[in-house]
Amino acid sequence: MNDLGTEIHLHARVFRTGCDWYADLDDAYDPQPDDPYWYGYYTTQRAAIDAACARLAAHRLTQSQRISHLLLSPVATSA
């Protein structure tokens, strides 16, 4: 876990997997989808993009604190 005050630069990734859309947030040091900060599955591309943007915005609000695992915890939803 990073120290307080250390910035984490997250990147959003959205792509189609079968019939679902996958979205995740990951950092630049480990951009593989094996251990993202957050991820979710959605029925539409728009829902996946909106979810990823909402998580990025929520992270921005708390970037001077440790990442909230409740806020950035993995979820699987349909929107």
Side-chain angles (χ1 to χ4, degrees), residues 1-18:
M1 185 58 116
N2 292 326
D3 296 328
L4 289 173
T6 301
E7 285 190 27
I8 297 174
H9 298 277
L10 296 177
H11 302 269
R13 175 180 32 229
V14 174
F15 58 89
R16 191 172 186 113
T17 62

Side-chain angles (χ1 to χ4, degrees), residues 2-59:
N2 292 326
D3 296 328
L4 289 173
T6 301
E7 285 190 27
I8 297 174
H9 298 277
L10 296 177
H11 302 269
R13 175 180 32 229
V14 174
F15 58 89
R16 191 172 186 113
T17 62
C19 296
D20 293 322
W21 285 89
Y22 172 84
D24 76 9
L25 298 184
D26 219 337
D27 65 10
Y29 298 111
D30 185 19
Q32 300 303 314
D34 61 340
D35 188 22
Y37 283 99
W38 167 87
Y39 68 91
Y41 291 92
Y42 300 88
T43 57
T44 67
Q45 182 184 33
R46 177 82 267 160
I49 292 170
D50 289 346
C53 289
R55 297 296 175 167
L56 283 171
H59 172 69

